[in-house]
Amino acid sequence: MVFTREHENLVKEGEKWMKTTTESCSITVALIMTIVFAAAITAPGGSSQETGIPLFRKEMTFTIFAVSDAISLFASSTALLVFLSILTARFAEQDFLVRLPRRLLIGPFSLLLSTTTMMVAFSATLFIVFCDKNPWMLAPICVLAFIPIAIFVTLQFRLIIDLFQSTHVHIFGKHRKSFLRRFNPDDIRLLFGK
């Protein structure tokens, strides 16, 4: 009871930060989901007027586009659902030990996967439509597509590592044998350095 009373502000600040982060990421994921869904229903290069089959369906780059666009759509859907589960969580103090950090780890990872595969799909579309089978155009497209991914990873890397270590790796000499073990308030105190 003393621990709960003394760390009431810490729980409120953690809830506020987590909700703000989740809301921002949810907006980004919704935009990505909209883009990849629109790309999925409008095939690059158009479709045949008689059959409706995409014109470039036999091209390898079209297969790369289709697979990466599908992965991006599924990953962004997963990220959106994870972020919504965080927003609707009860934010009890025992949830901050494993449940919420695990969800916050899955969310940005799904967002990164979605963004990466969206850039692959966009690069494949550029190559199909504009490069006219010029292989030398592939290098600048890949370099430019890699820049936003590298920036995202650089900015979020420390957060992802901290969340992974605090949830799944040895902490303070203890090994977590089970994710469903009993709640111990000392774990939160040690985790937040109080």
Side-chain angles (χ1 to χ4, degrees), residues 74-101:
F74 298 141
S76 60
S77 299
T78 301
L80 186 63
L81 291 174
V82 168
F83 289 134
L84 287 176
S85 76
I86 292 172
L87 285 173
T88 58
R90 61 186 178 137
F91 291 99
E93 67 183 43
Q94 62 264 30
D95 291 345
F96 282 95
L97 187 59
V98 175
R99 287 186 189 123
L100 291 173

Side-chain angles (χ1 to χ4, degrees), residues 171-189:
I171 298 178
F172 312 111
K174 297 179 187 176
H175 179 66
R176 297 216 173 129
K177 295 180 181 174
S178 170
F179 293 117
L180 301 174
R181 67 185 179 90
R182 293 194 57 151
F183 171 68
N184 183 359
D186 291 334
D187 290 341
I188 291 179
R189 187 178 326 123

Side-chain angles (χ1 to χ4, degrees), residues 101-122:
R102 186 183 303 149
R103 290 178 190 176
L104 199 58
L105 183 64
I106 293 169
F109 179 75
S110 299
L111 178 60
L112 175 64
L113 179 64
S114 174
T115 306
T116 303
T117 52
M118 178 186 69
M119 293 305 291
V120 170
F122 179 71

Side-chain angles (χ1 to χ4, degrees), residues 41-49 52-57 62 125 128-129:
I41 60 174
T42 56
S47 301
S48 171
Q49 292 294 329
I53 296 173
L55 296 175
F56 294 114
R57 77 177 193 279
F62 184 80
T125 302
I128 289 170
V129 176

Side-chain angles (χ1 to χ4, degrees), residues 62-72 117:
F62 184 80
T63 304
I64 293 171
F65 160 77
V67 169
S68 60
D69 195 62
I71 292 171
S72 182
T117 52

